[in-house]
Amino acid sequence: MSGAEVVGLISGIISIVDAISKIHGAVRDASGLPASFRDALRKMPLVKDTLLAAKQGIDRGASQSSYVELERVLESCREKTSSLEKIFRHLAVKPGSSRTRRYAVGIRTLGKGQQVEELMERILSDLQLLTANYAIRSASQEQVQELLMEMRNGGDDSVLSDHTSSVEASPGPSASLIR
């Protein structure tokens, strides 16, 4: 894996995030959208900004093992964003759809709220790993702190405690991924 391949993966994830945001136009008209869906949509700009910063900050002189770990984290993030996109795509109701169709879509959202919330927490966790990796130089401490605040506001503190102390303790880029 090279820096160019890592940048390609990041670009692919950004495309998925953009697709979710476009689907939002159709979904936001659906009344009764669960809070977890609205929260996920609200966090999409932060996800995109973090990915753009990472894309610009790839250190092309990093070791091969760094790129392998970046690929692992990015593949995980891509899978989760793809899953999130599929959920939102299934919610999109075509204009002029029957009341029955709209009702069916509404029922489908009820069982997906927890899944959307978990996917978003895991995406944010992957982004935390990505920005903490020393090969990503342009992700500023301010961006990492903003990401951590989003995770704290929308996530379970017990999940965060494993990761936040390592990021908050290191003033600069770390020598390895946070475990």
Side-chain angles (χ1 to χ4, degrees):
M1 168 111 334
S2 68
E5 291 170 317
V6 169
V7 168
L9 262 174
I10 292 171
S11 295
I13 297 167
I14 291 171
S15 295
I16 296 168
V17 168
D18 285 341
I20 292 170
S21 296
K22 286 179 185 173
I23 293 168
H24 172 250
V27 172
R28 79 171 149 213
D29 294 335
S31 61
L33 196 61
S36 57
F37 285 77
R38 290 189 307 269
D39 288 345
L41 289 168
R42 183 181 53 79
K43 292 175 185 174
M44 285 297 118
L46 175 64
V47 170
K48 183 176 180 178
D49 288 348
T50 302
L51 289 166
L52 286 170
K55 182 178 174 182
Q56 293 172 355
I58 295 294
D59 179 11
R60 295 195 175 15
S63 70
Q64 187 63 28
S65 63
S66 292
Y67 288 130
V68 169
E69 288 302 312
L70 280 171
E71 179 185 22
R72 184 185 61 75
V73 170
L74 288 168
E75 282 293 339
S76 172
C77 189
R78 186 185 56 75
E79 290 170 10
K80 292 169 192 138
T81 53
S82 291
S83 296
L84 194 59
E85 179 193 17
K86 287 177 188 172
I87 292 170
F88 276 96
R89 197 168 295 285
H90 287 295
L91 293 179
V93 179
K94 295 178 183 173
S97 293
S98 69
R99 180 177 285 224
T100 305
R101 171 78 175 128
R102 290 182 185 279
Y103 181 73
V105 168
I107 295 295
R108 235 185 287 153
T109 64
L110 296 176
K112 299 287 185 181
Q114 183 68 29
Q115 185 179 5
V116 167
E117 191 174 315
E118 288 173 7
L119 283 169
M120 223 29 240
E121 286 175 13
R122 290 179 180 157
I123 290 167
L124 292 173
S125 180
D126 285 346
L127 290 177
Q128 181 182 1
L129 287 172
L130 181 68
T131 57
N133 186 289
Y134 73 94
I136 308 301
R137 301 215 187 263
S138 71
S140 69
Q141 189 66 23
E142 180 180 318
Q143 288 170 314
V144 172
Q145 291 301 325
E146 184 179 349
L147 181 62
L148 289 172
M149 290 303 296
E150 280 294 327
M151 291 175 70
R152 285 188 184 119
N153 291 337
D156 180 1
D157 289 337
S158 65
V159 173
L160 298 174
S161 64
D162 295 339
H163 301 293
T164 56
S165 61
S166 298
V167 172
E168 291 170 345
S170 65
S174 70
S176 63
L177 290 173
I178 297 172
R179 298 203 196 302

PDB file of all heavy atoms in Angstrom, residues 118-146:
ATOM      1  N   GLU A 118     -24.787   2.892  16.283  1.00  0.00           N
ATOM      2  CA  GLU A 118     -23.565   2.098  16.444  1.00  0.00           C
ATOM      3  C   GLU A 118     -22.603   2.313  15.278  1.00  0.00           C
ATOM      4  O   GLU A 118     -21.395   2.438  15.491  1.00  0.00           O
ATOM      5  CB  GLU A 118     -23.920   0.617  16.574  1.00  0.00           C
ATOM      6  CG  GLU A 118     -24.564   0.268  17.891  1.00  0.00           C
ATOM      7  CD  GLU A 118     -25.062  -1.173  17.951  1.00  0.00           C
ATOM      8  OE1 GLU A 118     -24.799  -1.965  17.016  1.00  0.00           O
ATOM      9  OE2 GLU A 118     -25.727  -1.510  18.939  1.00  0.00           O
ATOM     10  N   LEU A 119     -23.119   2.359  14.060  1.00  0.00           N
ATOM     11  CA  LEU A 119     -22.256   2.601  12.902  1.00  0.00           C
ATOM     12  C   LEU A 119     -21.586   3.960  13.010  1.00  0.00           C
ATOM     13  O   LEU A 119     -20.380   4.094  12.754  1.00  0.00           O
ATOM     14  CB  LEU A 119     -23.060   2.511  11.601  1.00  0.00           C
ATOM     15  CG  LEU A 119     -23.398   1.114  11.114  1.00  0.00           C
ATOM     16  CD1 LEU A 119     -24.417   1.173   9.974  1.00  0.00           C
ATOM     17  CD2 LEU A 119     -22.140   0.377  10.663  1.00  0.00           C
ATOM     18  N   MET A 120     -22.327   4.974  13.403  1.00  0.00           N
ATOM     19  CA  MET A 120     -21.762   6.312  13.527  1.00  0.00           C
ATOM     20  C   MET A 120     -20.675   6.352  14.598  1.00  0.00           C
ATOM     21  O   MET A 120     -19.619   6.959  14.394  1.00  0.00           O
ATOM     22  CB  MET A 120     -22.890   7.286  13.864  1.00  0.00           C
ATOM     23  CG  MET A 120     -22.928   8.607  13.159  1.00  0.00           C
ATOM     24  SD  MET A 120     -22.262   8.722  11.540  1.00  0.00           S
ATOM     25  CE  MET A 120     -21.026   9.945  11.860  1.00  0.00           C
ATOM     26  N   GLU A 121     -20.912   5.702  15.737  1.00  0.00           N
ATOM     27  CA  GLU A 121     -19.897   5.657  16.795  1.00  0.00           C
ATOM     28  C   GLU A 121     -18.631   4.973  16.295  1.00  0.00           C
ATOM     29  O   GLU A 121     -17.522   5.422  16.581  1.00  0.00           O
ATOM     30  CB  GLU A 121     -20.439   4.921  18.019  1.00  0.00           C
ATOM     31  CG  GLU A 121     -21.451   5.718  18.806  1.00  0.00           C
ATOM     32  CD  GLU A 121     -22.073   4.921  19.939  1.00  0.00           C
ATOM     33  OE1 GLU A 121     -21.571   3.833  20.283  1.00  0.00           O
ATOM     34  OE2 GLU A 121     -23.086   5.394  20.485  1.00  0.00           O
ATOM     35  N   ARG A 122     -18.790   3.907  15.544  1.00  0.00           N
ATOM     36  CA  ARG A 122     -17.623   3.176  15.033  1.00  0.00           C
ATOM     37  C   ARG A 122     -16.895   3.967  13.950  1.00  0.00           C
ATOM     38  O   ARG A 122     -15.666   3.921  13.869  1.00  0.00           O
ATOM     39  CB  ARG A 122     -18.052   1.808  14.522  1.00  0.00           C
ATOM     40  CG  ARG A 122     -18.468   0.893  15.658  1.00  0.00           C
ATOM     41  CD  ARG A 122     -18.921  -0.438  15.161  1.00  0.00           C
ATOM     42  NE  ARG A 122     -19.301  -1.289  16.271  1.00  0.00           N
ATOM     43  CZ  ARG A 122     -20.118  -2.297  16.160  1.00  0.00           C
ATOM     44  NH1 ARG A 122     -20.650  -2.604  14.993  1.00  0.00           N
ATOM     45  NH2 ARG A 122     -20.414  -3.034  17.214  1.00  0.00           N
ATOM     46  N   ILE A 123     -17.637   4.692  13.124  1.00  0.00           N
ATOM     47  CA  ILE A 123     -17.007   5.550  12.114  1.00  0.00           C
ATOM     48  C   ILE A 123     -16.180   6.622  12.808  1.00  0.00           C
ATOM     49  O   ILE A 123     -15.023   6.870  12.447  1.00  0.00           O
ATOM     50  CB  ILE A 123     -18.064   6.173  11.173  1.00  0.00           C
ATOM     51  CG1 ILE A 123     -18.664   5.098  10.261  1.00  0.00           C
ATOM     52  CG2 ILE A 123     -17.462   7.311  10.345  1.00  0.00           C
ATOM     53  CD1 ILE A 123     -19.918   5.537   9.520  1.00  0.00           C
ATOM     54  N   LEU A 124     -16.748   7.265  13.816  1.00  0.00           N
ATOM     55  CA  LEU A 124     -16.018   8.296  14.555  1.00  0.00           C
ATOM     56  C   LEU A 124     -14.798   7.715  15.256  1.00  0.00           C
ATOM     57  O   LEU A 124     -13.744   8.356  15.329  1.00  0.00           O
ATOM     58  CB  LEU A 124     -16.940   8.995  15.545  1.00  0.00           C
ATOM     59  CG  LEU A 124     -18.035   9.866  14.928  1.00  0.00           C
ATOM     60  CD1 LEU A 124     -18.981  10.375  16.009  1.00  0.00           C
ATOM     61  CD2 LEU A 124     -17.459  11.007  14.121  1.00  0.00           C
ATOM     62  N   SER A 125     -14.912   6.508  15.742  1.00  0.00           N
ATOM     63  CA  SER A 125     -13.771   5.847  16.370  1.00  0.00           C
ATOM     64  C   SER A 125     -12.660   5.580  15.345  1.00  0.00           C
ATOM     65  O   SER A 125     -11.477   5.789  15.630  1.00  0.00           O
ATOM     66  CB  SER A 125     -14.230   4.540  17.022  1.00  0.00           C
ATOM     67  OG  SER A 125     -13.152   3.880  17.627  1.00  0.00           O
ATOM     68  N   ASP A 126     -13.044   5.137  14.150  1.00  0.00           N
ATOM     69  CA  ASP A 126     -12.056   4.934  13.084  1.00  0.00           C
ATOM     70  C   ASP A 126     -11.382   6.246  12.717  1.00  0.00           C
ATOM     71  O   ASP A 126     -10.164   6.296  12.507  1.00  0.00           O
ATOM     72  CB  ASP A 126     -12.719   4.344  11.831  1.00  0.00           C
ATOM     73  CG  ASP A 126     -13.059   2.869  11.973  1.00  0.00           C
ATOM     74  OD1 ASP A 126     -12.558   2.219  12.910  1.00  0.00           O
ATOM     75  OD2 ASP A 126     -13.838   2.374  11.126  1.00  0.00           O
ATOM     76  N   LEU A 127     -12.152   7.318  12.668  1.00  0.00           N
ATOM     77  CA  LEU A 127     -11.571   8.622  12.345  1.00  0.00           C
ATOM     78  C   LEU A 127     -10.617   9.089  13.435  1.00  0.00           C
ATOM     79  O   LEU A 127      -9.608   9.735  13.148  1.00  0.00           O
ATOM     80  CB  LEU A 127     -12.670   9.656  12.125  1.00  0.00           C
ATOM     81  CG  LEU A 127     -13.497   9.471  10.858  1.00  0.00           C
ATOM     82  CD1 LEU A 127     -14.597  10.515  10.795  1.00  0.00           C
ATOM     83  CD2 LEU A 127     -12.641   9.512   9.614  1.00  0.00           C
ATOM     84  N   GLN A 128     -10.923   8.739  14.669  1.00  0.00           N
ATOM     85  CA  GLN A 128     -10.018   9.085  15.767  1.00  0.00           C
ATOM     86  C   GLN A 128      -8.685   8.371  15.570  1.00  0.00           C
ATOM     87  O   GLN A 128      -7.626   8.973  15.722  1.00  0.00           O
ATOM     88  CB  GLN A 128     -10.639   8.709  17.103  1.00  0.00           C
ATOM     89  CG  GLN A 128      -9.755   9.060  18.279  1.00  0.00           C
ATOM     90  CD  GLN A 128     -10.363   8.640  19.602  1.00  0.00           C
ATOM     91  OE1 GLN A 128     -11.443   8.062  19.655  1.00  0.00           O
ATOM     92  NE2 GLN A 128      -9.662   8.933  20.672  1.00  0.00           N
ATOM     93  N   LEU A 129      -8.728   7.103  15.224  1.00  0.00           N
ATOM     94  CA  LEU A 129      -7.492   6.364  14.953  1.00  0.00           C
ATOM     95  C   LEU A 129      -6.743   6.977  13.775  1.00  0.00           C
ATOM     96  O   LEU A 129      -5.518   7.114  13.811  1.00  0.00           O
ATOM     97  CB  LEU A 129      -7.806   4.898  14.655  1.00  0.00           C
ATOM     98  CG  LEU A 129      -8.224   4.038  15.831  1.00  0.00           C
ATOM     99  CD1 LEU A 129      -8.698   2.672  15.338  1.00  0.00           C
ATOM    100  CD2 LEU A 129      -7.079   3.878  16.811  1.00  0.00           C
ATOM    101  N   LEU A 130      -7.480   7.333  12.767  1.00  0.00           N
ATOM    102  CA  LEU A 130      -6.871   7.907  11.569  1.00  0.00           C
ATOM    103  C   LEU A 130      -6.149   9.206  11.894  1.00  0.00           C
ATOM    104  O   LEU A 130      -4.998   9.399  11.501  1.00  0.00           O
ATOM    105  CB  LEU A 130      -7.961   8.145  10.519  1.00  0.00           C
ATOM    106  CG  LEU A 130      -7.524   8.718   9.190  1.00  0.00           C
ATOM    107  CD1 LEU A 130      -6.679   7.713   8.428  1.00  0.00           C
ATOM    108  CD2 LEU A 130      -8.748   9.096   8.361  1.00  0.00           C
ATOM    109  N   THR A 131      -6.795  10.093  12.627  1.00  0.00           N
ATOM    110  CA  THR A 131      -6.169  11.380  12.922  1.00  0.00           C
ATOM    111  C   THR A 131      -5.043  11.251  13.942  1.00  0.00           C
ATOM    112  O   THR A 131      -4.159  12.095  13.972  1.00  0.00           O
ATOM    113  CB  THR A 131      -7.201  12.403  13.425  1.00  0.00           C
ATOM    114  OG1 THR A 131      -7.867  11.888  14.565  1.00  0.00           O
ATOM    115  CG2 THR A 131      -8.202  12.739  12.344  1.00  0.00           C
ATOM    116  N   ALA A 132      -5.070  10.211  14.747  1.00  0.00           N
ATOM    117  CA  ALA A 132      -4.017  10.026  15.738  1.00  0.00           C
ATOM    118  C   ALA A 132      -2.772   9.382  15.133  1.00  0.00           C
ATOM    119  O   ALA A 132      -1.691   9.479  15.705  1.00  0.00           O
ATOM    120  CB  ALA A 132      -4.533   9.164  16.890  1.00  0.00           C
ATOM    121  N   ASN A 133      -2.904   8.782  13.991  1.00  0.00           N
ATOM    122  CA  ASN A 133      -1.763   8.105  13.375  1.00  0.00           C
ATOM    123  C   ASN A 133      -0.725   9.136  12.956  1.00  0.00           C
ATOM    124  O   ASN A 133      -1.049  10.181  12.407  1.00  0.00           O
ATOM    125  CB  ASN A 133      -2.244   7.292  12.165  1.00  0.00           C
ATOM    126  CG  ASN A 133      -1.141   6.455  11.573  1.00  0.00           C
ATOM    127  OD1 ASN A 133      -0.219   6.983  10.964  1.00  0.00           O
ATOM    128  ND2 ASN A 133      -1.223   5.167  11.781  1.00  0.00           N
ATOM    129  N   TYR A 134       0.532   8.814  13.170  1.00  0.00           N
ATOM    130  CA  TYR A 134       1.574   9.790  12.890  1.00  0.00           C
ATOM    131  C   TYR A 134       1.756  10.081  11.411  1.00  0.00           C
ATOM    132  O   TYR A 134       2.353  11.088  11.042  1.00  0.00           O
ATOM    133  CB  TYR A 134       2.907   9.374  13.515  1.00  0.00           C
ATOM    134  CG  TYR A 134       3.595   8.226  12.823  1.00  0.00           C
ATOM    135  CD1 TYR A 134       4.559   8.450  11.850  1.00  0.00           C
ATOM    136  CD2 TYR A 134       3.297   6.917  13.152  1.00  0.00           C
ATOM    137  CE1 TYR A 134       5.190   7.405  11.217  1.00  0.00           C
ATOM    138  CE2 TYR A 134       3.927   5.870  12.532  1.00  0.00           C
ATOM    139  CZ  TYR A 134       4.871   6.110  11.563  1.00  0.00           C
ATOM    140  OH  TYR A 134       5.495   5.074  10.949  1.00  0.00           O
ATOM    141  N   ALA A 135       1.222   9.266  10.530  1.00  0.00           N
ATOM    142  CA  ALA A 135       1.349   9.538   9.094  1.00  0.00           C
ATOM    143  C   ALA A 135       0.409  10.645   8.647  1.00  0.00           C
ATOM    144  O   ALA A 135       0.549  11.188   7.566  1.00  0.00           O
ATOM    145  CB  ALA A 135       1.068   8.271   8.294  1.00  0.00           C
ATOM    146  N   ILE A 136      -0.541  10.999   9.472  1.00  0.00           N
ATOM    147  CA  ILE A 136      -1.486  12.065   9.143  1.00  0.00           C
ATOM    148  C   ILE A 136      -1.029  13.318   9.872  1.00  0.00           C
ATOM    149  O   ILE A 136      -1.286  13.490  11.039  1.00  0.00           O
ATOM    150  CB  ILE A 136      -2.927  11.698   9.570  1.00  0.00           C
ATOM    151  CG1 ILE A 136      -3.336  10.338   9.032  1.00  0.00           C
ATOM    152  CG2 ILE A 136      -3.909  12.776   9.149  1.00  0.00           C
ATOM    153  CD1 ILE A 136      -3.286  10.221   7.535  1.00  0.00           C
ATOM    154  N   ARG A 137      -0.354  14.185   9.184  1.00  0.00           N
ATOM    155  CA  ARG A 137       0.238  15.350   9.824  1.00  0.00           C
ATOM    156  C   ARG A 137      -0.668  16.573   9.833  1.00  0.00           C
ATOM    157  O   ARG A 137      -0.494  17.450  10.664  1.00  0.00           O
ATOM    158  CB  ARG A 137       1.543  15.701   9.136  1.00  0.00           C
ATOM    159  CG  ARG A 137       2.523  14.550   9.193  1.00  0.00           C
ATOM    160  CD  ARG A 137       3.908  15.073   9.341  1.00  0.00           C
ATOM    161  NE  ARG A 137       4.855  13.985   9.219  1.00  0.00           N
ATOM    162  CZ  ARG A 137       5.376  13.370  10.262  1.00  0.00           C
ATOM    163  NH1 ARG A 137       5.024  13.716  11.459  1.00  0.00           N
ATOM    164  NH2 ARG A 137       6.229  12.393  10.090  1.00  0.00           N
ATOM    165  N   SER A 138      -1.623  16.651   8.946  1.00  0.00           N
ATOM    166  CA  SER A 138      -2.390  17.888   8.857  1.00  0.00           C
ATOM    167  C   SER A 138      -3.588  17.929   9.794  1.00  0.00           C
ATOM    168  O   SER A 138      -4.191  18.972   9.957  1.00  0.00           O
ATOM    169  CB  SER A 138      -2.874  18.104   7.425  1.00  0.00           C
ATOM    170  OG  SER A 138      -3.883  17.187   7.112  1.00  0.00           O
ATOM    171  N   ALA A 139      -3.938  16.810  10.383  1.00  0.00           N
ATOM    172  CA  ALA A 139      -5.067  16.833  11.322  1.00  0.00           C
ATOM    173  C   ALA A 139      -4.612  17.556  12.580  1.00  0.00           C
ATOM    174  O   ALA A 139      -3.783  17.073  13.321  1.00  0.00           O
ATOM    175  CB  ALA A 139      -5.522  15.420  11.643  1.00  0.00           C
ATOM    176  N   SER A 140      -5.146  18.729  12.782  1.00  0.00           N
ATOM    177  CA  SER A 140      -4.717  19.541  13.911  1.00  0.00           C
ATOM    178  C   SER A 140      -5.293  19.009  15.214  1.00  0.00           C
ATOM    179  O   SER A 140      -6.269  18.271  15.232  1.00  0.00           O
ATOM    180  CB  SER A 140      -5.154  20.991  13.703  1.00  0.00           C
ATOM    181  OG  SER A 140      -6.558  21.071  13.810  1.00  0.00           O
ATOM    182  N   GLN A 141      -4.690  19.401  16.305  1.00  0.00           N
ATOM    183  CA  GLN A 141      -5.177  19.014  17.623  1.00  0.00           C
ATOM    184  C   GLN A 141      -6.608  19.510  17.817  1.00  0.00           C
ATOM    185  O   GLN A 141      -7.416  18.846  18.440  1.00  0.00           O
ATOM    186  CB  GLN A 141      -4.249  19.581  18.715  1.00  0.00           C
ATOM    187  CG  GLN A 141      -4.530  19.058  20.089  1.00  0.00           C
ATOM    188  CD  GLN A 141      -4.254  17.567  20.222  1.00  0.00           C
ATOM    189  OE1 GLN A 141      -3.493  16.992  19.470  1.00  0.00           O
ATOM    190  NE2 GLN A 141      -4.887  16.934  21.184  1.00  0.00           N
ATOM    191  N   GLU A 142      -6.918  20.674  17.238  1.00  0.00           N
ATOM    192  CA  GLU A 142      -8.279  21.213  17.337  1.00  0.00           C
ATOM    193  C   GLU A 142      -9.286  20.274  16.672  1.00  0.00           C
ATOM    194  O   GLU A 142     -10.371  20.038  17.210  1.00  0.00           O
ATOM    195  CB  GLU A 142      -8.328  22.586  16.675  1.00  0.00           C
ATOM    196  CG  GLU A 142      -9.690  23.240  16.718  1.00  0.00           C
ATOM    197  CD  GLU A 142      -9.671  24.600  16.033  1.00  0.00           C
ATOM    198  OE1 GLU A 142      -8.707  25.348  16.227  1.00  0.00           O
ATOM    199  OE2 GLU A 142     -10.635  24.874  15.311  1.00  0.00           O
ATOM    200  N   GLN A 143      -8.941  19.701  15.511  1.00  0.00           N
ATOM    201  CA  GLN A 143      -9.845  18.775  14.832  1.00  0.00           C
ATOM    202  C   GLN A 143     -10.028  17.501  15.651  1.00  0.00           C
ATOM    203  O   GLN A 143     -11.130  16.969  15.735  1.00  0.00           O
ATOM    204  CB  GLN A 143      -9.309  18.423  13.452  1.00  0.00           C
ATOM    205  CG  GLN A 143      -9.413  19.563  12.460  1.00  0.00           C
ATOM    206  CD  GLN A 143      -8.653  19.268  11.195  1.00  0.00           C
ATOM    207  OE1 GLN A 143      -7.506  18.816  11.239  1.00  0.00           O
ATOM    208  NE2 GLN A 143      -9.274  19.525  10.069  1.00  0.00           N
ATOM    209  N   VAL A 144      -8.953  17.012  16.241  1.00  0.00           N
ATOM    210  CA  VAL A 144      -9.052  15.821  17.077  1.00  0.00           C
ATOM    211  C   VAL A 144      -9.957  16.106  18.273  1.00  0.00           C
ATOM    212  O   VAL A 144     -10.824  15.298  18.618  1.00  0.00           O
ATOM    213  CB  VAL A 144      -7.653  15.337  17.538  1.00  0.00           C
ATOM    214  CG1 VAL A 144      -7.769  14.215  18.552  1.00  0.00           C
ATOM    215  CG2 VAL A 144      -6.818  14.892  16.347  1.00  0.00           C
ATOM    216  N   GLN A 145      -9.790  17.269  18.895  1.00  0.00           N
ATOM    217  CA  GLN A 145     -10.626  17.628  20.038  1.00  0.00           C
ATOM    218  C   GLN A 145     -12.094  17.756  19.627  1.00  0.00           C
ATOM    219  O   GLN A 145     -12.988  17.328  20.361  1.00  0.00           O
ATOM    220  CB  GLN A 145     -10.142  18.934  20.681  1.00  0.00           C
ATOM    221  CG  GLN A 145      -8.808  18.799  21.389  1.00  0.00           C
ATOM    222  CD  GLN A 145      -8.825  17.753  22.492  1.00  0.00           C
ATOM    223  OE1 GLN A 145      -9.809  17.563  23.184  1.00  0.00           O
ATOM    224  NE2 GLN A 145      -7.727  17.035  22.630  1.00  0.00           N
ATOM    225  N   GLU A 146     -12.356  18.324  18.444  1.00  0.00           N
ATOM    226  CA  GLU A 146     -13.734  18.446  17.957  1.00  0.00           C
ATOM    227  C   GLU A 146     -14.345  17.059  17.743  1.00  0.00           C
ATOM    228  O   GLU A 146     -15.489  16.811  18.111  1.00  0.00           O
ATOM    229  CB  GLU A 146     -13.749  19.239  16.649  1.00  0.00           C
ATOM    230  CG  GLU A 146     -15.142  19.510  16.124  1.00  0.00           C
ATOM    231  CD  GLU A 146     -15.125  20.320  14.839  1.00  0.00           C
ATOM    232  OE1 GLU A 146     -14.067  20.856  14.448  1.00  0.00           O
ATOM    233  OE2 GLU A 146     -16.196  20.404  14.224  1.00  0.00           O
TER     234      GLU A 146
END
